[in-house]
Amino acid sequence: MATKQASAQRRVAVIGAGMAGASASVALHDAGFAVTLFEKSRGASGRMSTRRNDKWQADHGAQYFTAKSPAFQAEVQAWCNKGWAAAWEGRIAKLDLTKATPPGEEGKAAQALRFEPTPPTPRFVGSPRMTSIVAAMVAPLHVTTQTTITGAQRVEGQWRLASKEHGELPQAFDALIWAIPRPQLEPFEGLFPNSWQQTLNSINFAPCWAVMAGFDRPLDLPFDGLFVGRPDDPQPEASPLSWVARTLSKPGRTGQETWTLHASYSFTQQHLNDTPEAMAERLSSGFHVCLVRPAPNGPLPTDGSMPLLNLRSRWQPTTCGMSQVNWVSVATG
């Protein structure tokens, strides 16, 4: 990378303020480049997303991360030391569904299933929310939010950008970095060399429906995070779910009892164009199969005394959806 002296006058635009865009921007900034980070949303985070208000919060994107390489382990430890991240010591289990459940027999299937604890794996989350890490990383940088870059062109050796919200932007840049999901690159495809385009065409973007479900009191369940079924499940109707997690089991979280429900890839593919309302009902019903299992103090009530909190919103950063139970919030990503 160029020295600070050599790079001081070079201006770089980075499109996308998720973890990749933030990491690239920090490295360039530390090397002396003048970096402007563009983000279409209200704040930096990308898939490290949290939805919240004054009563509840839920991580509806990335649920946690692990650190395997020594270099990343050191980085994560630095984040923990700064209070940006913390270890998540929730009870993680798996529920293997190998057959489709006959209609009307979901409760019987639930009673027969057995949860298996997963091997202990160090898992980390942003603290007090998933957005905390990226937000802290980009704090010293020039970040332009709510600006969706829709066009780029080379003019006299520099990059000129245009956005959906503001039209052509006044700044000119010496270099341009895209750090956004594959589907969002479509407006720029004519700018890429053939070798890049071939690589892009080989990328399979996997969408995921997500529901954030709130309850009027804590659920007495023997897990805080649960893997459901298999990633390659050929019969997704066995359960629409691939993962569920209790928000309040994560460090720093406060507020109402909230669970994030992620659909499986195959289920999302089959129902990608369904409405958020329909997805809220399907995923909530899948979660109910877990609820009616015998918990340590007996089965949970099914008479409506613990209502799922009415669909209010949809998060669709690219191809996914979100809902709210007493509230339900649905998103795809």
Side-chain angles (χ1 to χ4, degrees), residues 283-302:
L283 297 191
S284 297
S285 296
F287 187 44
H288 186 261
V289 172
C290 299
L291 296 184
V292 299
R293 280 190 46 75
N297 297 321
L300 294 166
T302 58

Side-chain angles (χ1 to χ4, degrees), residues 72-317:
F72 189 49
Q73 288 172 352
E75 185 72 12
V76 171
Q77 186 58 56
W79 294 344
C80 292
N81 293 343
K82 295 175 182 177
W84 303 354
W88 179 29
E89 298 179 351
R91 301 163 300 164
I92 310 299
K94 61 182 178 180
L95 184 57
D96 186 14
L97 297 171
T98 57
K99 296 191 221 179
T101 302
E105 297 186 12
E106 290 83 357
K108 293 180 182 179
Q111 297 292 339
L113 296 170
R114 293 292 179 267
F115 295 110
E116 301 177 25
T118 59
T121 300
R123 295 177 172 90
F124 300 89
V125 296
S127 181
R129 57 192 66 95
M130 286 300 289
T131 56
S132 300
I133 299 171
V134 175
M137 291 173 66
V138 304
L141 307 180
H142 180 200
V143 182
T144 302
T145 58
Q146 296 183 301
T147 301
T148 307
I149 303 300
T150 55
Q153 59 180 330
R154 293 283 284 178
V155 179
E156 297 180 352
Q158 292 189 309
W159 287 100
R160 304 304 297 260
L161 306 178
S163 75
K164 180 176 71 174
E165 297 83 359
H166 313 294
E168 186 174 332
L169 304 182
Q171 308 99 310
F173 301 94
D174 300 295
L176 176 59
I177 294 176
W178 287 269
I180 53 181
R182 170 65 182 88
Q184 295 178 22
L185 286 170
E186 290 182 1
F188 309 101
E189 288 185 352
L191 300 173
F192 304 140
N194 289 336
S195 59
W196 290 21
Q197 192 61 55
Q198 291 173 5
T199 300
L200 291 173
N201 292 341
S202 69
I203 295 174
N204 180 28
F205 186 77
C208 175
W209 277 104
V211 165
M212 294 170 286
F215 297 82
D216 61 1
R217 64 179 183 269
L219 303 186
D220 187 6
L221 293 171
F223 56 84
D224 299 308
L226 180 70
F227 294 100
V228 183
R230 303 189 309 259
D232 61 344
D233 190 350
Q235 299 185 48
E237 299 303 321
S239 173
L241 297 169
S242 64
W243 165 262
V244 301
R246 187 197 310 261
T247 298
L248 293 182
S249 68
K250 298 179 179 180
R253 275 57 171 178
T254 60
Q256 184 175 353
E257 174 83 346
T258 307
W259 287 73
T260 295
L261 320 178
H262 278 180
S264 68
Y265 169 68
S266 53
F267 180 85
T268 300
Q269 286 287 76
Q270 288 190 6
H271 299 277
L272 189 58
N273 296 319
D274 287 12
T275 65
E277 291 82 359
M279 287 303 95
E281 182 178 354
R282 295 292 296 273
L283 297 191
S284 297
S285 296
F287 187 44
H288 186 261
V289 172
C290 299
L291 296 184
V292 299
R293 280 190 46 75
N297 297 321
L300 294 166
T302 58
D303 58 2
S305 62
M306 294 180 60
L308 293 176
L309 292 182
N310 314 322
L311 187 71
R312 296 179 183 170
S313 60
R314 177 185 176 104
W315 172 58
Q316 193 160 1

